[in-house]
Amino acid sequence: MTNRRARALLVAALVGALVVSATVAVPSADARPAHEIPVSTMPEADLSTPSAPDWSRVPAADVPLASAPSGVPNAGDTSIDRVHVQAARSGEQFHVRLQWSDPTRNVTAGSPRAFPDAAAIQFPVDTSSRPPIAMGGRDNRVNVWYWAGNGATQELLAGGAGSTTTFQSPTVDANATYTNGTWTVVYTRDVTGASENRTTLDDDDRLDVAVAVWNGGNGERAGRKAVSEWHYFPTGEGAEGAPYQTLLWTVAGVAIVAVIGVTAFGVLRTHGGDGGGS
Amino acid sequence: MSTQDDTNINVADGVDHQVAMVMDLNKCIGCQTCTIACKDLWTEGGGTDYMYWNNVETKPGEGYPRGWEESGGGWTDDGSERVAGEIPSREDYGRPWEFNHSEIMYEGSDEPLRPREGAEWGPNWDEDQGAGEYPNSYYFYLPRICNHCTHPSCVEACPRQALYKREEDGIVLVDQERCRGYRYCVEGCPYKKVYYNTVSKKSEKCIFCYPRLEGEGPDGETYAPACAEECPPQLRLVGFLDDEDGPIYKLVEEYEVALPLHPEFRTQPNVYYIPPYAPGQHTEDGESVDVDRIPRGYLRELFGDGVDQALNTIERERQRARQGDDSELMELLQHKNPAKQYRLGVFDDD
């Protein structure tokens, strides 16, 4: 084997190794699809409070927010533009933690002009299809977990803007803290807590989810709110990542290795021929 | 809006008849009996302390809540779009004052009874202040309830349709089950007659005493709203705008002497006012001169351009009565009102 041939094989092997390692390593981190919010499974973790240390082990998604389209006055005047979302299953409980920056802490609705800060998570009632983003639709309703800074935690059902209805007995609990200009809210529900008009959390591989945040100090309430697009929790068996994505990367990696191999082989043959003729 | 088959009165779409009230401002003595009658009945519970579904304010004056006439709400000139409004502050409504009762009653203090602090504004803070210079100063009282408008901007403002006009009589109500306390109705009403309950976290307003109209009391009898029945000078007529045999129809539609407050808000109020008819100005020597004491321009600001014709009509009919001629209008405006002051059962058989 000549030096040239050895060098070409080494390069090919290095490139191949790079591609393979990237294929294996990437899906759990940056290459996550844009609208996926990871869900960790942590059977023994305590995640029911906003400041529980175990939350540091749960990966977060940075979800952008924009003013919701709405007919209420000043609907475009909202002030929160992103929220960190974490989700995890511990035992039989499903937890979602929202974190966002809000320099004013508004926790009362006790005077005519006072509105509390608030946040909500929206799921389809029927997880097999994606409802209209603005509070669902008449035939495709949404189940909403609502928390407000004045202590109100509600579970809601809606089938379109203005149709929000409160469940008499909420199955969702919410805990919140406000430190250093940041709200942290943890919602907790039993995974098996589904019932009529309540979302089944582990029915499909994907659970669609959208988030809304209100800054009460800015007069935000009702349709005047900052909202995300539809995202999803990968909640199926392969909950650590989207299987199709790994498959795509593997196919791409094999193809690249093959191309490099063929190229290297061609180069070697060309150089080998030259050498033989000299 | 639609025109009912049996009348030429416009009532709102989907509404059979429209309750209405006429208040004769020339009779109001500012005693606040109406205010207290209403408060005793409806706004004594938690979270309602600052509310006066019925209030009586002095005009000219800031009113209740302070500056409500400049707080926005209502509709644009062509009535097609809502005008942005503001929610009044707690201070604009007026906070309850803390008095030094305990010092005087239990601690032997001999200081006068007075608010401890913060007594800087409240409902009727500017009572009887009015405007103008002696000897031609002037003021009058303006009792106000919800106008139960034909084109209510509070109803339109609610993103949840929690406010609605009752089909049978056009009374505007807040469905407490649907209300989520967003307060778009509070800011959307240009008269600021929808209030936010700080305890129930829902909005509330004048209900035109509908349980009294429906005979829900212990004796099963029908009564007019408490603010009207309890009024010592009996300045209010209550009935239906589309009751053509009633005094309200005659005063509003035939004689056109009962006028809505701030018609430029375009909500089409169903509370109407007989404008105040003050004596002319005096010279410093006490001589009467033919100049309006209450500037006509100010009355136009409140009641629209119809005020000139209304006052002219009243003056003409007064002259007739003085000369001994019959005047139906003057009789309607007196307590011997032959068309009855309260006509509430006229459509019961519909």
Side-chain angles (χ1 to χ4, degrees), chain A residues 143 155 171 189-202:
Chain A
N143 184 192
E155 192 181 2
T171 56
R189 205 201 84 179
D190 286 349
V191 175
T192 54
S195 59
E196 189 182 7
N197 293 323
R198 280 198 170 99
T199 302
T200 305
L201 295 175
D202 56 354

Side-chain angles (χ1 to χ4, degrees), chain A residues 109 112-114 154 162 164 221, chain B residues 87 160 178 180 182-183 196:
Chain A
R113 283 182 172 171
Q154 295 177 329
T164 308
R221 76 277 196 191
Chain B
I87 301 172
R160 294 177 53 74
R178 292 205 55 74
R180 279 179 66 82
Y182 295 148
R183 288 161 265 178
Y196 173 68

